[in-house]
Amino acid sequence: MGKLDGKVALVSGSGRGIGRAIAEKLASDGAKVVVNDLDPDPAKETVAAVEAAGGAAVACAGSVTEEGFAERFVGTAVDAFGGLDIIVNNAGYTWDFVIQKMSDDQWDAILDVHLKAPFRILRAAQPIISAATKKERAAGIVVPCRKVVNISSIAGTGGNAGQVNYSSSKAGVIGLTKALSKEWGRYNVTVNAVAFGLIRTRLTEVPAGGDGKIDIQGRQLAVGVNPELLQSMEHGIPLGRAGTPADAAGAVYLLCIPESDYVSGQVVVCGGGFNA
């Protein structure tokens, strides 16, 4: 028996990196997972990994910023697994520049993926959660504690030079989290955020022999942190290292299990003590 047996989870951006680690972690404890990625192949790979480990998952590929995606994402959970219990808003990327060199397109793109997309997903989920709560109460069933975990960053709690768009969007996620925790408490839903520090993913690693770029809907965006700078950043972390996707997934998992049923409206920093 897993702590998440019978639960249905949405995890956006779960074809790779942190999102995949979150999906696999939740599934390993019994949750049925709807996996999302911008590209179909990584989403299918995560589904295959979950199923190979004995779990249940389905894919819902596509950009979280697309019109109608939120409804399709939520609908996939209901159609495939009959309900919705956990929402993890994880999808995102960075597109950095100092403010005087940042275009409106850069600003809009980052706020759309990190803040507008979670808003839309949560808005689409509200009728499903509200109807389930009413049905459970009418039947005399104890309403289960459902969970929302939004992903923020220490850039959102303290700012980061060269990332006015990303820092603003991640600060907005904290506001969204705190407001929604007050709105959805009546449904017995906890709403929390995890703010990540330095986590090693494809966005921080410069690929060997690669050009350090990823394709995001036709945009070639630079990724990767200079190895010497990365090492310097790690020296500033009290635990002495950057986090791993498994570390990040563990922090999210804590806010999805029954032990956190009375924790809501909070921001948990997963940063190795960096901002302690």
Side-chain angles (χ1 to χ4, degrees), residues 128-186:
I128 304 302
I129 290 171
S130 175
T133 302
K134 289 177 183 177
K135 183 177 180 179
E136 288 152 358
R137 286 178 175 153
I141 300 170
V142 175
V143 177
C145 186
R146 295 180 169 89
K147 311 277 189 167
V148 173
V149 183
N150 296 318
I151 302 305
S152 185
S153 166
I154 58 173
T157 62
N160 195 33
Q163 292 189 316
V164 292
N165 52 359
Y166 182 72
S167 297
S168 297
S169 67
K170 289 306 190 182
V173 165
I174 293 172
L176 172 66
T177 297
K178 290 183 177 293
L180 201 64
S181 71
K182 293 178 169 66
E183 288 190 22
W184 282 13
R186 66 183 184 272

Side-chain angles (χ1 to χ4, degrees), residues 25-204:
K25 179 68 174 177
L26 299 183
S28 73
D29 211 12
K32 300 172 183 176
V33 183
V34 180
V35 174
N36 158 257
D37 194 87
L38 182 62
D39 304 313
D41 288 345
K44 291 176 183 177
E45 289 170 7
T46 300
V47 169
V50 167
E51 291 178 339
V58 295
C60 181
S63 171
V64 294
T65 64
E66 289 176 359
E67 291 288 341
F69 172 82
E71 290 75 15
R72 180 164 64 88
F73 197 27
V74 171
T76 299
V78 175
D79 293 343
F81 300 126
L84 180 57
D85 303 283
I86 298 168
I87 302 171
V88 181
N89 283 306
N90 168 77
Y93 59 95
T94 56
W95 191 3
D96 301 344
F97 264 120
V98 290
I99 193 167
Q100 67 270 23
K101 295 182 179 180
M102 184 171 290
S103 67
D104 286 356
D105 188 30
Q106 283 175 272
W107 174 269
D108 291 343
I110 295 304
L111 264 72
D112 281 352
V113 71
H114 289 284
L115 187 55
K116 190 174 185 178
F119 155 71
R120 285 175 165 177
I121 290 167
L122 294 166
R123 182 177 61 183
Q126 191 278 339
I128 304 302
I129 290 171
S130 175
T133 302
K134 289 177 183 177
K135 183 177 180 179
E136 288 152 358
R137 286 178 175 153
I141 300 170
V142 175
V143 177
C145 186
R146 295 180 169 89
K147 311 277 189 167
V148 173
V149 183
N150 296 318
I151 302 305
S152 185
S153 166
I154 58 173
T157 62
N160 195 33
Q163 292 189 316
V164 292
N165 52 359
Y166 182 72
S167 297
S168 297
S169 67
K170 289 306 190 182
V173 165
I174 293 172
L176 172 66
T177 297
K178 290 183 177 293
L180 201 64
S181 71
K182 293 178 169 66
E183 288 190 22
W184 282 13
R186 66 183 184 272
Y187 304 132
N188 200 28
V189 176
T190 67
V191 186
N192 294 290
V194 175
F196 293 140
L198 178 60
I199 307 292
R200 285 186 177 268
T201 69
R202 68 178 182 140
L203 299 182
T204 60

